Every structure is written in C-alpha cells, then in structure tokens.
Amino acid sequence: MLKQPYQTLTNLGIALVGGILMGLTPAPVNAWWLAWIALVPLWVLVINHPSRIKQCTLLGLAWGIGYHGLALSWITGVHPMTWMGVPWLASLAIALFCWLFITLWGAVLPALWAGIMVLAHVSLKRSQTPLRFQIGYRVLIGVGAWCGLEWLWGFGPLLWTSLSYTQSPYNLVILHLGQISGPTTVTAALIAVNGFMAEAWLHRDQSWQLNLGEKPYTLPLHRKSLGLAVGLFVSLHLIGLGLYLRPLNQTPDSAFKVGIIQGNVPNEIKLYPAGWRKAIEGYTTGYNTLAEQGVEAVLTPETALPFFWTEFQQHQSSFYQAILNQKVTAWVGALGSQGRSITNSLFTINGQGQVLSQYNKVKLVPLGEYIPFEDFLGRFIDRLSPLDAHMVAGQPRQTFDTPLGRAIVGICYESAFAEHFRYQTANGGEFILSPSNDAHYSDAMPAQHHAQDVMRAIESDRWTVRATNTGYSGIVDPHGRTQWLSQLHIYELHAATIYRRQTQTLYVRWGDWLTPLLAGLGFMVWIANFAVSRSQNRARLSSLD
C-alpha cells in the first residue's frame, strides 16, 4: 500500500532535483553546462509514466519550481522595504509572495509541456510506430512544444527565465545561434540534446537491426540516441563558432565615443531629498568629467533623476547647466508624462538643453511598476514603487532618434524581451542603450541582467551600452564579448568607443521563424500518428466483425 505513494514522492523529488540543476546554470553559480543534461530526469520520468497525465503534469510542475524558484530567488532581495515605510513582516510577506508567484508562473510551462509529451507519447505508441522513429518524433514534438510555450509566454507580463539565458554570458558560441531565429534557437538546441540524452537512457537495453549485406547488424538504440545527442551538440557549436568568428568589419566613420555614469544612489535614499542631492551632484560631476574626456554622448541609468524632466529643467539645476555649458548630448533617465499618468522614460537632451526624443518604457515590471489585476490584487498588496502616481506603459512601436544615429532602447526589465529589440533593430536601430536600476534586488540579479543584454547584443548584431544605478554597467560588442564591466555598489565613470551598425541578422529580418516551423512539424507528426492509430483500430474492429 505504501509503495505507490513512496514512488510518487521519489519521482517528484527527482524532478525537483533536475529543475534545481537547471536553476544553477545562471548567476550566481553560472554552471551553464548543466543545462545540457538537467532536463533529462523529467523527460525520462514522463515517458516512463505515459498513462498518468496528472502525475506527469505534477512532475513538470516540480521541475519548474526547482528551476524558476532557484534562478529567480534574487527577487527576495527586495526585502526589507522598511525604507519605503513598509513594516518588516509585511515586507517579508510581499517578497515571498512575489517570489512564489513568479516561480509558479514559470513552473506552469514545464507542467504543460509534460502533459503534451504524455499525450504525444501515447499517440505514438498506439499507432505502433517503430521504436527508432518514435525517438525522433518525441524529440521533435518535445522541442516544438517547449519553444511554442516559451513563445506564448513572451506575450505575457512575466518573462525572464527562458532556457536560452542559461548559456549567457559564458557560452558565446552557442548564443550566436540566436542570430538565426532569436533565443528560440538556443532553447531548441538545449531541448533536442537533452531529449536524445534521455532517450539513450530510456532505451539502454534495447536494439534494432540494420540489414547490411548477408548478415544483419544489431545497433543498440542507446548508442544511436547518444550519438545523435553528441553529434547535435558538436555540430550546433560548430555553426555557432562560424558565426562567432565572422569579422565585425567596423569603419572609422561609424565610431563615436560614449560615456557611462553609474550613479550608485541607493534605493533607500533615491526618492528622498538626500538621494536627490546625491544624484544631482554625482551626475553633474560625472557628466562634466566625461565631457572633458571628449565623449560625444553620456548615458545615465533608469530614472537616474527621479523627477519629471520638464520640472527638473525649469529648476535650472547644476546638471542642466552642465549640459548647456558642455554642449554634449545626454541620454537622461527621468520621469515623463502620458496624459495624466507618468512614464519611465529616457530623454535625448542636446547641447542647448532641448529634448530631441523621448522613449517611454513599454514592458513595466509587474508588482513593481504596476499591479496586474489591480482591482483584485491592489486590496492585498501595496505597490512596491513608492511613486504615488499611476505609471503607464509606452507604445510598443517606438523609435529613438539621436544626433548620433537611431538607437535601440531597452529600459531595465525590457532586456528579457528579444522581440522588443528585434523590432527596433529592423527599423534602423544602430546601437543599443540599456539604462537600468537593478538596485532593488540581490547581487545575482544584475549579473543575470547583464547576461540578458549579452544575448540581445548578439541577436541584433549591435554594440550595447549599459548604464545602471549600482551595477553592473558595461560595454558589450556584437559578438557578446564584454569589453568593460563595472563593479557593484560603487560610483563609477567610463568612456568607450562603440560603432554604429546597419547589418541585419536572419533573426532581425525574419523574426522567430523557427518556433512555428518546429511546432508545426511536431503537430503534423502527432496528427499523422493519431490518424494511423484510428485507422488501425477501425481495421481491428472490422476483423472482429
């Protein structure tokens, strides 16, 4: 009587451990190589229990909790929020709620994937498809289903832990597959290799025969699957290496010198008079220093100056006067307005102090900059941002023209949304600006954020300039190589030369074409086998009659 519950708990534990292994791949551990095997336990468990869809869905949920729960544990760094007037226990409750919410949101994806795999496997078994073909079909369906679900998740408000980011920023070779069809390409590679590895384990005691001449040759199935896994792993890295080794072909006339100010204004004081004074003093000093070094533009972090820019301009502050004196373009993170609401914005300010362009953040942080389902959740959760006004998202199709060329802008959280960058690149963006804060969370978060920007730089084939409040600020080239990275929790200035680029990768031109292709092929295989299964059942019934 105890055997079945014990086995169920054991399987859930194995699935959870597999998810934890995947959760070790991003910062702070950065064990990226584990991503190539961490899905194997879940795959094996699902295929070994094909008739128990509820159990398999729970296994997927356990794996997802292990992965997302560990990878996103940095969000608990928002606690304590006593500096915002939130009581200590209420702050802890809010932090835990946010962590559990985003963990479960992400865990739903592998749970759905496990259910799809069970249904597909049952269909393949009923159609009596030869086992050697079942392996390939299952891998195709598994890859297509996962990529399709990640694509669907991209339309939602929460997106950070795509499997593709497990390889960033260390496995730059495989990340170059992102130039083909975005992060989906990297995710597909990971799922396919994991799938064949799992199939090798599942069929370690089985074989099939090849008719070579007079004597049949017995080929162990696990060797075939393992060979496919290794071959795929090597060949995909070779393709990525070919893209990585391509010269950048940069010309002197496309170069310009940019400056970065990392203000290091802690959130505890940022929105209060002491923080305002420190911000204005630090950004004024940094702007003057960088201007004297000959930069042509200066980038500040997200909401470096937490004021409405028009009001700030009217006060004739020292920072504004520095712009008028130095006459160097400034990209300033501040608050904008959209009707009666406020926006998280980046402004291009020219040497005359005029606003040449304004970009309003599109992807706002759920529970931080706005509350999803506010009518319901707003009664239970105080807004994490201390801003009293209502923050709204900018229009999704924006361009950002500057005196130095058209820029691609992603403010903070937007770094996770590859399509956001692809659209701007396809519409003439020549370099990436990534102003961020990142001071809300633990130190693992800025490291993961930098990893996201590395992926966007490679996919877009663009130089990236990243300015943050407390780190990591950085310069990333189009091959994802970090040319400079700041330290955490210090005031820091940096000047560097970057290049405008007008190239278009396959991903920039065509978008994520691989997901519909893989999902479509997987669905066709599934339907075809389902049709064969029904035909065979009818034939059996006819023979009985």
Side-chain angles (χ1 to χ4, degrees):
M1 295 294 292
L2 296 176
K3 183 177 180 181
Q4 184 61 40
Y6 176 78
Q7 185 63 51
T8 299
L9 289 175
T10 300
N11 291 341
L12 286 171
I14 293 172
L16 180 65
V17 169
I20 290 173
L21 291 177
M22 189 66 80
L24 294 173
T25 56
V29 180
N30 292 308
W32 59 268
W33 49 272
L34 284 174
W36 298 94
I37 59 173
L39 190 63
V40 171
L42 177 60
W43 192 298
V44 170
L45 289 171
V46 168
I47 301 306
N48 273 336
H49 300 80
S51 61
R52 300 171 183 172
I53 188 168
K54 290 183 179 180
Q55 289 89 332
C56 290
T57 302
L58 287 175
L59 291 172
L61 190 69
W63 189 95
I65 289 172
Y67 172 43
H68 297 280
L70 182 57
L72 295 171
S73 59
W74 47 259
I75 200 171
T76 57
V78 300
H79 174 72
M81 292 178 282
T82 50
W83 60 274
M84 294 171 57
V86 180
W88 193 91
L89 285 177
S91 170
L92 179 62
I94 291 172
L96 291 176
F97 174 85
C98 292
W99 179 47
L100 292 173
F101 184 88
I102 61 173
T103 295
L104 292 175
W105 179 275
V108 171
L109 190 154
L112 292 175
W113 176 83
I116 292 171
M117 289 297 289
V118 169
L119 295 174
H121 177 59
V122 170
S123 177
L124 290 171
K125 294 287 286 185
R126 287 178 178 174
S127 66
Q128 298 183 359
T129 302
L131 186 56
R132 61 183 182 274
F133 294 126
Q134 285 188 36
I135 293 172
Y137 292 162
R138 271 198 299 267
V139 171
L140 175 60
I141 293 171
V143 172
W146 196 292
C147 291
L149 288 168
E150 278 200 0
W151 172 82
L152 187 63
W153 251 240
F155 289 97
L158 291 172
L159 181 69
W160 190 263
T161 43
S162 163
L163 290 190
S164 56
Y165 101 125
T166 64
Q167 302 302 289
S168 187
Y170 294 100
N171 193 356
L172 295 181
V173 168
I174 206 67
L175 290 179
H176 273 70
L177 297 181
Q179 293 186 346
I180 299 173
S181 187
T184 290
T185 326
V186 180
T187 295
L190 289 166
I191 299 296
V193 171
N194 272 274
F196 281 120
M197 293 282 286
E199 295 293 340
W201 175 261
L202 285 165
H203 305 295
R204 59 192 180 278
D205 298 323
Q206 295 171 300
S207 62
W208 62 293
Q209 288 188 343
L210 285 172
N211 294 319
L212 301 176
E214 297 180 357
K215 295 182 178 180
Y217 174 71
T218 300
L219 179 67
L221 275 175
H222 74 276
R223 290 186 184 177
K224 177 188 175 184
S225 298
L226 188 60
L228 287 170
V230 173
L232 195 60
F233 178 85
V234 173
S235 60
L236 289 172
H237 277 76
L238 288 175
I239 294 171
L241 181 63
L243 295 171
Y244 177 77
L245 293 176
R246 290 192 306 177
L248 294 178
N249 296 325
Q250 296 164 154
T251 57
D253 61 338
S254 66
F256 68 93
K257 194 172 183 180
V258 65
I260 297 172
I261 306 175
Q262 180 171 296
N264 194 37
V265 182
N267 277 354
E268 288 80 359
I269 65 171
K270 181 178 180 181
L271 298 175
Y272 301 100
W276 301 342
R277 290 191 294 270
K278 181 175 181 179
I280 293 172
E281 179 183 353
Y283 289 113
T284 301
T285 302
Y287 177 86
N288 283 324
T289 300
L290 291 167
E292 291 169 2
Q293 293 178 12
V295 302
E296 298 172 67
V298 175
L299 177 65
T300 69
E302 175 189 23
T303 57
L305 303 174
F307 320 99
F308 287 99
W309 175 255
T310 52
E311 295 178 2
F312 183 73
Q313 179 182 2
Q314 292 170 358
H315 288 131
Q316 300 290 298
S317 71
S318 60
F319 182 76
Y320 184 70
Q321 288 300 319
I323 294 176
L324 296 178
N325 293 334
Q326 298 287 357
K327 300 189 182 305
V328 172
T329 296
W331 290 308
V332 181
L335 301 178
S337 60
Q338 189 168 298
R340 297 183 178 180
S341 301
I342 65 173
T343 58
N344 185 340
S345 302
L346 184 71
F347 298 88
T348 299
I349 314 298
N350 66 8
Q352 290 71 47
Q354 300 169 329
V355 176
L356 296 186
S357 56
Q358 175 180 343
Y359 170 86
N360 299 327
K361 185 176 181 180
V362 179
K363 302 291 186 179
L364 301 181
V365 180
L367 303 177
E369 293 169 317
Y370 79 101
I371 299 179
F373 315 112
E374 188 168 0
D375 291 340
F376 174 72
L377 293 179
R379 294 177 297 170
F380 304 100
I381 307 171
D382 290 325
R383 186 184 301 273
L384 299 187
S385 169
L387 298 171
D388 293 329
H390 183 67
M391 183 170 285
V392 295
Q395 296 300 315
R397 302 299 187 185
Q398 298 179 59
T399 54
F400 192 70
D401 291 313
T402 80
L404 298 169
R406 177 168 288 184
I408 303 153
V409 183
I411 297 179
C412 201
Y413 179 52
E414 293 179 322
S415 292
F417 295 83
E419 174 59 27
H420 175 79
F421 289 77
R422 190 203 71 81
Y423 172 82
Q424 294 182 72
T425 307
N427 282 273
E430 298 175 299
F431 54 94
I432 296 174
L433 300 177
S434 178
S436 305
N437 189 349
D438 292 354
H440 311 288
Y441 311 104
S442 73
D443 291 350
M445 194 279 177
Q448 291 189 16
H449 199 164
H450 174 68
Q452 298 278 8
D453 280 339
V454 166
M455 294 172 64
R456 305 295 87 86
I458 294 172
E459 294 155 5
S460 304
D461 193 35
R462 294 294 186 268
W463 283 84
T464 296
V465 184
R466 174 167 164 75
T468 68
N469 181 13
T470 55
Y472 294 105
S473 302
I475 300 287
V476 182
D477 74 11
H479 280 316
R481 297 172 296 206
T482 301
Q483 301 295 329
W484 171 77
L485 195 67
S486 72
Q487 298 298 311
L488 289 174
H489 309 300
I490 64 170
Y491 178 84
E492 195 158 358
L493 307 176
H494 185 74
T497 298
I498 68 169
Y499 297 83
R500 291 176 285 263
R501 294 176 66 79
Q502 298 176 343
T503 58
Q504 289 198 347
T505 64
L506 191 61
Y507 171 59
V508 169
R509 290 178 184 176
W510 290 3
D512 182 8
W513 55 270
L514 187 60
T515 293
L517 177 63
L518 291 172
L521 288 174
F523 183 73
M524 289 171 59
V525 166
W526 190 349
I527 292 299
N529 278 275
F530 179 74
V532 169
S533 177
R534 290 195 64 180
S535 177
Q536 290 174 343
N537 287 336
R538 288 173 181 172
R540 292 191 193 100
L541 291 174
S542 298
S543 64
L544 291 174
D545 292 340

